[in-house]
Amino acid sequence: MAPCSLSLHTGRAARPSVASRASPRSLGSGASRRALVVRATTENTTTDAETVTDKNLELMRHFSEQYAQRTGTYFCVDKSVTAVVIQGLAEHKASLGAPLCPCRHYDDKAAEAANGFWNCPCVPMRERKECHCMLFLTEDNDFAGREQHITHEEVVEGISHSH
Amino acid sequence: MEIQGEAQFEQEVLKSDKPVLVDFWATWCGPCKLVAPLMDWAEKEYGDSLKVVKINHTPNPEIIATWKVYGLPTLMVFKDGQLVEGSHREGAVSKPVLLKYIQQHVPTTVKV
């Protein structure tokens, strides 16, 4: 669906609209036909939803780097795995207000987000460094790389092949 | 093969005349992305003796609830309409691990 915004126009209404149902008579005799029209227009701008997701993507990317360094864990040798998880976390952060783990099924996502157990970093990760999303990998994990950094470009590249 | 809905699950998995390896996945699940090409490999490698299907958890909540799928990816093997005991496995697998998994749960599988 194309992004749209509401714009306020005054003056002669070019065409009938829902907002301008008042008859000319109600505007007073002799009054020029000026009507306040609120009209939806489509503009080629980033939607609020996309902005929120972009901001959360950066938030989760930065969090992932910091948390990996703090816990002595590493990103997957295949960084597209890391990127995909970061995107999943960002989407949940945007939609639910919390970075719910994207590698699980939930009967009620909102309830799970409110509960917190599976909000990243989830309890298994915090208690035992167990991240089944493969976002934070211990050194001895077969899939662990040696990096604790991932750039915004790497995230974008990693998720671009996952649509 | 991607399947959706209980009717298709019944037809393609439960009524299959050969064993079926099922891969439950999610869109933004990193390990699922890692496993996906291994499923394609297994499908080619085991030819006619093993069917491989993928199920996205989001549009299939009934299947998920029936088979108690929570962590993703989850692998399962079905044979003669039944879940092969011990084949419910959560998490990513490497190729050697997948090979062992298939040999363990689908012993009749013949490598092409």
Side-chain angles (χ1 to χ4, degrees), chain A residues 53-128:
Chain A
T53 302
D54 287 345
K55 280 182 184 168
N56 283 300
L57 189 69
E58 179 54 23
L59 196 73
M60 297 318 303
R61 183 198 68 78
H62 183 65
F63 154 76
S64 299
E65 287 188 330
Q66 301 254 293
Y67 197 74
Q69 288 159 44
R70 192 173 357 136
T71 56
T73 54
Y74 297 88
F75 293 147
C76 184
V77 62
D78 178 348
K79 275 193 177 173
S80 68
V81 170
T82 311
V84 163
V85 176
I86 289 173
Q87 170 71 13
L89 290 170
E91 291 208 348
H92 279 158
K93 183 83 171 73
S95 62
L96 302 167
L100 196 63
C101 174
C103 307
R104 287 192 70 80
H105 175 80
Y106 308 97
D107 294 329
D108 184 337
K109 278 190 175 182
E112 292 284 355
N115 176 273
F117 188 97
W118 290 113
N119 289 343
C120 186
C122 63
V123 169
M125 177 63 200
R126 280 183 263 154
E127 291 185 350
R128 301 182 298 280

Side-chain angles (χ1 to χ4, degrees), chain A residues 76 78 80-81 84-85 87-88 91 102-105 132-134 143 158-159 162-163, chain B residues 26-31 33-34 57-58 61 64 69-73 90 92-94:
Chain A
C76 184
D78 178 348
S80 68
V81 170
V84 163
V85 176
Q87 170 71 13
E91 291 208 348
C103 307
R104 287 192 70 80
H105 175 80
H132 75 270
C133 263
M134 298 175 63
F143 293 101
I159 64 180
S162 293
H163 290 289
Chain B
T27 304
W28 296 116
C29 159
K33 184 181 183 301
L34 211 59
H57 81 114
T58 302
I64 294 294
V69 177
Y70 297 112
L72 298 162
E90 282 186 12
V93 293
S94 62

Side-chain angles (χ1 to χ4, degrees), chain A residues 17-37:
Chain A
S17 72
V18 173
S20 59
R21 285 188 178 146
S23 70
R25 188 175 301 177
S26 66
L27 297 175
S29 60
S32 60
R33 290 189 181 189
R34 295 176 70 83
L36 193 65
V37 175

Side-chain angles (χ1 to χ4, degrees), chain A residues 78 134 143, chain B residues 21-23 30-46 50-54 73 75 89 91-102:
Chain A
D78 178 348
M134 298 175 63
F143 293 101
Chain B
L21 172 60
V22 180
D23 168 22
C32 300
K33 184 181 183 301
L34 211 59
V35 162
L38 292 180
M39 295 297 113
D40 297 335
W41 168 83
E43 192 169 39
K44 289 194 181 82
E45 189 73 7
Y46 293 98
L50 178 70
K51 183 193 277 190
V52 180
V53 304
K54 297 179 187 179
L75 300 181
R89 184 196 167 102
V93 293
S94 62
K95 199 169 181 178
V97 171
L98 179 62
L99 255 170
K100 208 186 249 186
Y101 172 87
I102 290 173

